[in-house]
Amino acid sequence: MSVRYRLQCPADAIEARAQALAVEQSIEMPIEAVRDARVRAEIVGEVLAIEPSPEAADRFDVVLALAVETTGDEPGQLLNVVFGNCSLQPDVELVDVELPAAMLAKLPGPRFGIEGWRRALAGGAPPHDDTDAASPVAGAGRDAEARPLSCTALKPQGLDALALADLAYVFARSGIDVIKDDHGIADQASAPFAQRVPLVQRAIERANREKCSAGGALSGHRSIYAPTLSGGPRRLAAQLAIARDEGVGALLCCPMIVGVPAFTELVRAEAEVPLLAHPALAGNVRIAPPLLLGKLFRLFGADATIFPNWGGRFRHSRSDCLAIARRAREALGTHRPTLPVPAGGLRVDRVDEIVRAYGPDTMLLIGGDLLRAGDALAARAAEFAQRVARALHPARAADVGTEAVDG
Amino acid sequence: MSVRYRLQCPADAIEARAQALAVEQSIEMPIEAVRDARVRAEIVGEVLAIEPSPEAADRFDVVLALAVETTGDEPGQLLNVVFGNCSLQPDVELVDVELPAAMLAKLPGPRFGIEGWRRALAGGAPPHDDTDAASPVAGAGRDAEARPLSCTALKPQGLDALALADLAYVFARSGIDVIKDDHGIADQASAPFAQRVPLVQRAIERANREKCSAGGALSGHRSIYAPTLSGGPRRLAAQLAIARDEGVGALLCCPMIVGVPAFTELVRAEAEVPLLAHPALAGNVRIAPPLLLGKLFRLFGADATIFPNWGGRFRHSRSDCLAIARRAREALGTHRPTLPVPAGGLRVDRVDEIVRAYGPDTMLLIGGDLLRAGDALAARAAEFAQRVARALHPARAADVGTEAVDG
């Protein structure tokens, strides 16, 4: 596989530095002390290219060839090989990883992908047979209309489960598509998972039924709930069982906190619904955000990936954000595309701008700006849902999300 | 709990920035939109102090009070609360976390601690009854002599299990205390865990028997093996079972790769032997190394913590390294101390300097510098073991590790 790093290094030292990095990320010992011929030929990392940056004399892109077999086909070990030790070296940033087709095929990728979100929202059981992962579905017939999706968060943490369920009801009645737990809501005493998830799920189901029986613009609109999974394997397994029993439509998880191996082997394998990955703790590990939040989270099994949009509370650039979305959706072996979810301090008045930038296969996540409306929460939530749904089709203005409901 | 961050921020904006951070790490929504009185009073983060840095006009330490209840007493969620979202904000570094005694007591901490390493090396079963964790054992009677310990790594990855077992035999015969897998050796095809662990363990047991029957300086010296645990919960559980069946004396694990919740809930709970934490991927997450590798890894259950020493292949400062060791061993509720393990490109000729800096409750890890010796590997390994053992007691020179064995 080919791995691209960005190094801060004086020009007269870059060859030695690149060589040292190739050793650090493969055998971690002096090359001259390696006696095994196969290891020398097949395992030791190799410097494929050293490319000076046009921007600075002491910056270089270094491309290494690292042996796929050192990853043992395991996602955590893949991270270890490409960035385990050199994460401790502040002059190194990981920019890109190109995997050969055989290795790509061994990584799980999204189980449901963007189509899976549309099907879950349309009320159909998403296809979760891994055997059909081999046929790309990005262009296949769509069960739900190809419009942008809306998402909001239940918050603040500290509310009890009943209060969170009331909030979820308002959001669902307002026509928001995906209602997720705030990522900070885990399994705390104020609203334990086992108590919160049934209450919120039932509130959303009630709202869905009411939208149907009320007729009108939101008739047939289905909201789904994505509670936060957290903790070690036992806790995760218990939470997965509750989510399954309650019939929740999606799940939220922080791969860098629960750990990529648990995310892939346990959560991705056992969740029967689309997974929303949250970037908590994925911040400045000096892995380029398009690679980590776009490509790698997708390969590890995220059906949707949340990331901080430009112009909010975080400093990600517009080009980085669009690159995350591109890598989440571009052709990648036979893997399904992952739904990009820009977030992080967005306001409802930016919906059009953001949807135009990302296109229809996108889910916008707005939390605080809805709650800021106070008594007008339901109206603001409905405005958000409606703006998202009509963003690329102004003619739909009258069709979707025009009803506001009192909380 | 009180959490200290270092912020890069102009002086005229620091109050607003500190307040925004308190919100980001607690409720993640506009404070004015929080209607619940309990949440406002007990959950919203509070700015306790803003301290200008003596070094730069645009640098400040900000101390926040965050609610313990938001952590749900779960180690992953603790990381989420103190650094989940703000890891995505490059102006923030996490410097310290002070937990109240009740919260400290709810975190697992080392199950065996430094005494556990000494007992494991002396051949005694380490105490693994969590009920005695309440009585600090740092000063209790010691089963093994209080000397510094030696550690080396089986490498390079890519060798087959037999070759690794041969290497382990040489190290064990040379008197090295702990022989660990290179952290890059996981469960790859070249030396799968299920095949490698029995072979290496038996090679070390044979060496231990031979040291006994040969009499002499190493009679009674016991080496122990620490294989690398990796992967998701199922793989981890299978590997733990093999390690237990084979009677390995210790285990190595990378908490930031397997994930802190799995490390604590599964590995720490089910390993019946001392745990060696490896810092892979723990690099530049902008959590101060003494906090992450010293205090937090200890609270999560590491019995020993590996970190890059100054003057090797990494750039950690001497004061950071000594601070990691201090935090690993200092008084911390009723938790056992964790053994500091300086590593990362150390050479045998630095043993005295390093042991003098860290004192006897330390394990030195040297890998590449032993393998560099080629045909003289056994002699170099014996020299290393001997230098470590006698470092603080020159009179012991004749007692320990004076035998070299051919590989």
Side-chain angles (χ1 to χ4, degrees):
Chain A
M1 61 192 184
S2 130
V3 188
R4 177 176 292 264
Y5 299 91
R6 195 147 296 155
L7 273 80
Q8 198 88 26
C9 181
D12 60 0
I14 185 64
E15 286 201 25
R17 184 67 190 88
Q19 184 55 40
L21 184 64
V23 168
E24 190 72 53
Q25 297 310 115
S26 58
I27 53 167
E28 269 190 82
M29 63 177 284
I31 288 190
E32 65 276 14
V34 176
R35 297 176 155 202
D36 187 286
R38 192 188 82 83
V39 171
R40 292 182 80 108
E42 297 177 21
I43 302 294
V44 177
E46 191 186 338
V47 179
L48 293 181
I50 298 177
E51 301 167 5
S53 158
E55 284 154 35
D58 64 345
R59 212 181 308 155
F60 295 85
D61 268 20
V62 167
V63 183
L64 300 185
L66 297 176
V68 162
E69 72 164 274
T70 62
T71 69
D73 301 331
E74 197 271 310
Q77 176 65 9
L78 172 62
L79 273 183
N80 194 11
V81 168
V82 298
F83 205 59
N85 266 14
C86 66
S87 84
L88 298 149
Q89 298 175 322
D91 57 333
V92 184
E93 184 191 348
L94 174 62
V95 178
D96 204 0
V97 178
E98 291 289 339
L99 300 170
M103 173 78 193
L104 265 188
K106 281 176 180 159
L107 289 168
R111 201 157 160 193
F112 304 104
I114 296 177
E115 285 314 296
W117 285 101
R118 299 197 182 284
R119 267 176 240 168
L121 286 162
H128 54 74
D129 184 349
D130 281 329
T131 57
D132 74 355
S135 57
V137 294
R142 299 189 152 178
D143 293 3
E145 57 180 337
R147 61 167 175 84
L149 304 175
S150 54
C151 178
T152 193
L154 301 177
K155 54 171 94 176
Q157 60 167 313
L159 291 183
D160 63 24
L162 276 172
L164 293 169
D166 286 346
L167 196 55
Y169 171 80
V170 175
F171 288 143
R173 274 301 256 135
S174 302
I176 289 178
D177 298 311
V178 177
I179 298 160
K180 72 171 193 65
D181 283 340
D182 200 24
H183 91 282
I185 294 183
D187 195 12
Q188 298 99 330
S190 52
F193 191 94
Q195 183 186 86
R196 171 178 93 245
V197 170
L199 287 173
V200 173
Q201 175 65 15
R202 283 163 210 170
I204 290 176
E205 286 171 3
R206 179 163 64 88
N208 285 342
R209 283 193 305 273
E210 290 176 8
K211 282 181 285 189
C212 248
S213 57
L218 285 177
S219 177
H221 181 271
R222 184 172 184 247
S223 301
I224 59 179
Y225 176 38
T228 302
L229 294 174
S230 69
R234 264 187 294 268
R235 236 186 229 248
L236 287 172
Q239 293 173 0
L240 281 163
I242 292 169
R244 224 167 9 237
D245 288 350
E246 297 296 330
V248 306
L251 289 163
L252 177 80
C253 193
C254 306
M256 300 307 280
I257 290 181
V258 303
V260 162
F263 178 76
T264 297
E265 195 212 70
L266 178 63
V267 177
R268 191 263 181 206
E270 296 190 6
E272 307 280 323
V273 294
L275 286 181
L276 194 49
H278 188 284
L281 206 67
N284 202 20
V285 288
R286 282 177 295 107
I287 302 179
L291 174 61
L292 183 60
L293 307 183
K295 184 170 185 172
L296 291 177
F297 276 16
R298 176 180 176 190
L299 284 172
F300 299 156
D303 297 291
T305 182
I306 299 174
F307 56 91
N309 199 63
W310 70 89
R313 301 194 309 275
F314 300 84
R315 297 190 191 173
H316 293 60
S317 68
R318 184 185 157 103
S319 68
D320 259 3
C321 293
L322 295 175
I324 292 170
R326 190 176 65 245
R327 307 216 78 172
R329 296 184 298 212
E330 70 191 357
L332 180 64
T334 58
H335 291 296
R336 293 186 170 87
T338 291
L339 187 65
V341 187
L346 296 185
R347 295 185 322 270
V348 173
D349 60 20
R350 291 186 65 199
V351 164
D352 291 326
E353 166 210 346
I354 293 164
V355 170
R356 269 198 308 275
Y358 288 101
D361 280 338
T362 305
M363 181 154 71
L364 269 64
L365 167 53
I366 297 186
D369 195 44
L370 304 188
L371 295 164
R372 192 180 278 123
D375 288 337
L377 174 65
R380 178 82 63 97
E383 183 199 346
F384 168 48
Q386 178 182 346
R387 272 181 178 250
V388 171
R390 80 181 180 195
L392 297 172
H393 299 275
R396 277 194 198 140
D399 299 344
V400 184
T402 46
E403 262 174 66
V405 188
D406 287 337
Chain B
M1 59 192 185
S2 132
V3 187
R4 176 176 293 264
Y5 300 92
R6 194 146 297 154
L7 273 80
Q8 198 87 26
C9 181
D12 60 359
I14 185 64
E15 286 201 25
R17 183 67 191 89
Q19 184 55 40
L21 184 64
V23 169
E24 189 72 53
Q25 297 310 116
S26 58
I27 53 166
E28 269 188 82
M29 64 177 283
I31 288 190
E32 64 276 15
V34 176
R35 297 176 156 202
D36 188 285
R38 193 189 82 84
V39 171
R40 292 182 80 109
E42 296 178 20
I43 303 293
V44 177
E46 191 187 337
V47 179
L48 293 180
I50 298 177
E51 301 167 5
S53 158
E55 284 154 34
D58 65 346
R59 212 181 308 156
F60 295 85
D61 268 19
V62 166
V63 183
L64 300 185
L66 297 175
V68 163
E69 73 164 273
T70 63
T71 69
D73 301 332
E74 197 271 310
Q77 177 64 8
L78 172 62
L79 273 183
N80 194 12
V81 169
V82 299
F83 204 59
N85 266 13
C86 66
S87 84
L88 297 149
Q89 297 175 320
D91 57 333
V92 184
E93 185 191 349
L94 174 63
V95 179
D96 204 0
V97 178
E98 291 289 339
L99 300 170
M103 172 80 193
L104 264 188
K106 281 175 179 159
L107 289 167
R111 201 157 160 192
F112 304 103
I114 296 177
E115 285 313 297
W117 285 101
R118 299 198 182 284
R119 266 176 240 168
L121 286 162
H128 54 75
D129 184 348
D130 281 329
T131 57
D132 74 356
S135 56
V137 295
R142 299 188 152 176
D143 292 3
E145 55 181 337
R147 61 168 175 85
L149 304 175
S150 54
C151 178
T152 192
L154 301 177
K155 54 170 95 176
Q157 60 167 313
L159 291 183
D160 64 25
L162 276 172
L164 293 170
D166 287 347
L167 195 55
Y169 172 80
V170 175
F171 288 143
R173 273 302 256 135
S174 302
I176 289 178
D177 298 311
V178 177
I179 298 161
K180 74 173 192 66
D181 284 340
D182 200 22
H183 91 281
I185 294 183
D187 195 12
Q188 298 99 332
S190 52
F193 191 95
Q195 184 186 85
R196 172 178 91 246
V197 170
L199 287 173
V200 172
Q201 175 65 15
R202 283 163 211 172
I204 291 175
E205 285 171 2
R206 179 163 64 88
N208 285 342
R209 284 193 305 273
E210 290 176 10
K211 282 182 283 189
C212 249
S213 57
L218 285 177
S219 178
H221 181 271
R222 184 172 183 244
S223 301
I224 60 178
Y225 176 37
T228 303
L229 294 175
S230 69
R234 265 188 294 269
R235 237 185 229 249
L236 288 173
Q239 293 173 1
L240 282 163
I242 291 169
R244 223 168 9 237
D245 288 351
E246 296 296 330
V248 306
L251 288 163
L252 177 79
C253 194
C254 307
M256 300 307 281
I257 290 182
V258 304
V260 162
F263 178 75
T264 297
E265 196 211 69
L266 178 63
V267 176
R268 191 264 182 205
E270 297 190 8
E272 306 282 322
V273 294
L275 286 181
L276 193 49
H278 188 284
L281 206 67
N284 203 19
V285 288
R286 283 178 293 109
I287 302 179
L291 174 62
L292 184 60
L293 307 183
K295 184 171 185 173
L296 291 177
F297 276 15
R298 176 181 176 190
L299 284 172
F300 299 156
D303 298 289
T305 183
I306 299 174
F307 56 90
N309 200 63
W310 70 88
R313 302 194 308 276
F314 300 83
R315 297 190 190 173
H316 293 59
S317 69
R318 183 184 157 102
S319 68
D320 259 3
C321 294
L322 294 176
I324 293 170
R326 190 177 64 245
R327 306 215 78 173
R329 295 184 298 213
E330 71 191 356
L332 179 64
T334 58
H335 292 296
R336 294 186 169 87
T338 291
L339 186 65
V341 187
L346 296 184
R347 296 185 320 271
V348 174
D349 60 19
R350 292 186 64 200
V351 164
D352 291 326
E353 166 209 347
I354 292 165
V355 170
R356 269 197 307 274
Y358 288 101
D361 280 338
T362 305
M363 181 154 72
L364 269 64
L365 167 54
I366 296 186
D369 196 44
L370 304 188
L371 295 164
R372 193 180 277 124
D375 287 338
L377 174 65
R380 178 82 64 97
E383 184 197 347
F384 168 48
Q386 179 181 348
R387 271 180 178 252
V388 171
R390 80 182 179 194
L392 297 172
H393 298 276
R396 277 194 197 139
D399 299 343
V400 184
T402 46
E403 261 175 67
V405 189
D406 288 337

